[in-house]
Amino acid sequence: MPRNAAQWNRTPPLPPTHYVDPLVYTSEEILAQERDKIFARAWSIACHESEVPERYDYRTYRHPAGKNLVVVRGDDGTIRTFFNVCPHRGNTILYNPAGNAKHLLCIFHAFAFDCRGNCVAIPREKAGYQERIGKGDFGLRAVRTEVGFGGFVFVNLDDRAPALETFIGEALDGMRASLEAEPLEVFTFHRAIVRTNYKLWHDTNSEFYHDYMHYHNRQTSMAAPGYFERRYTAFPNGHAQVGDQVVNYEAYEGFKSRDLSFPGMALNQWKMVDLFPGMTYNLRGSSLRIDTLCPISPLETAIEFRGLGLKCDTPAERAARVHDYNTIWGPFGRNLHEDLLGVLGQGRALERGQTYLVHGREEDSTIHDEVGMRHFYAEWSRWMGRSSSDPSADGASGVNGAAHREAALS
Amino acid sequence: MLRTPGETRASAYLEVAQFVYSTVVRLNAKNFTGWLELCADNFSYSIQAWSPEIRRDMTWLQHDRSGIDSLVRQLPRHNTDESIFTRHATVYTIDFDRDDAATVVSALTVYRTDLDGGESRLFAVGHYHDQVVRDGERWLLGRREVRLDTRSLGIGTHYPI
């Protein structure tokens, strides 16, 4: 039965844990708080160690809290991270996304920094600053950096945040042996800018009910044994794992069984873990996909996709992994376009007024249960200090959620 | 009427350029079956790009003729953004390897036009690197390598470009 305006705006007849207020996706104020309360305090993947393989290699990174960073491999082999900002006049130091530089030189006034973040040159230093201020006062801002869980470079802007191991906990234990048996290497990277909220992409990675959208998955996964027995496991800090499955790729015309896998994995085995607040490890046997998210505005998100194989791959093995990855997950792949189309549609609908988003399916934590999203939003609410079902309930914004929604719709 | 060698050469250049444009016309019309009719049995297709971020060449799509055939035949079973994709190619160079085979490089721009409202936006910039071969009275695509400069492709697409 169609609903009138009042009915449309009414909270769903479910516990508040089972729906999300659309303001959570559209509010500038909430995004500003997410940057401050979540992204500035949580661990984020900046890049993979294979993107800075040599001494003095660097890789820039736009952090989801809004900071521009640069990851540098030092002369001692250690990977460090700094703000990509000259402490003199606030200019960008490195413009290229990657490269090799013994000194990080700001082109503006030629301030130079070494690979450990020390300021090593200021033109006419004594003439201008005398003894009042000098190189020792112009070091780069260092950012906590840990490399792990498959060689990924994790960074945290919060100097007091718990260690990475504590933050991840046991969430990646189910695939860690496969990730760390051999060094990995990035073979593809692309960034999609999509008009949607970043959480909607993480939602897509956190629920499989939308497999109905994917012809490929209906053929290769939903019809395969064990699909409906896959279970979610929720971990502390908002992370969640989806149960493994062996995928029948041959059920899709033109596709064949994978010839390769990752160490310790059966052929065609699929493992997936979502990490709070916006990272996903997606290991489809022969290749690993890593998603990372950076909100640009409430309804615009940069999603970065990395594909990885084993560093020891032969050229033929690498070509096979690249092919397997891109047939599904590349920008022209079967699944990725559909997933992106889905969240674009959500973003479009939210722009024009939307009711609550329902995460109400309960199926004993099996594959179509929406417990993965509920787990995420419980953690989100904890970090934010406000409920995802009624984000104005703490009175911080002074805005009544329902009234705001009605105003947006009118 | 007899042709001079120069006229014959010019005619061949024109034929090849028009052939490349005919492949674009069929792709723009989403006439993928018709486009495949312009491809040789041993046709290969790839979309590649250089990533300054990871400092590597990337291959985003690679298929032989049967792979492309399978891909386009299954499009109706997929959920696809059905926007209009308009490819605009300009043939830059034609190098005849033999009288019946040439390497063709064309500049490429692709626009995406929304069905709802008709707004057009640039989707991608790049080049076609084609190998074309003569088969009797007609030319065929032996290989098409799409080299993209654009790497930020929004939601991407299921269509060959």
Side-chain angles (χ1 to χ4, degrees), chain A residues 213 252-253 326 337-338, chain B residues 59 73-74 78-79 155 158:
Chain A
M213 177 166 69
Y252 185 90
E253 184 190 318
N326 281 301
H337 173 58
E338 290 173 332
Chain B
T59 301
R73 275 193 297 101
Q74 294 189 84
H78 281 272
N79 288 300
I155 64 169
H158 282 152

Side-chain angles (χ1 to χ4, degrees), chain A residues 70-92:
Chain A
V70 59
V71 175
V72 182
R73 187 181 287 275
D75 52 355
D76 57 352
T78 301
I79 294 175
R80 300 177 177 85
T81 307
F82 309 102
F83 280 21
N84 185 19
V85 176
C86 180
H88 173 217
R89 294 279 303 284
N91 211 324
T92 297

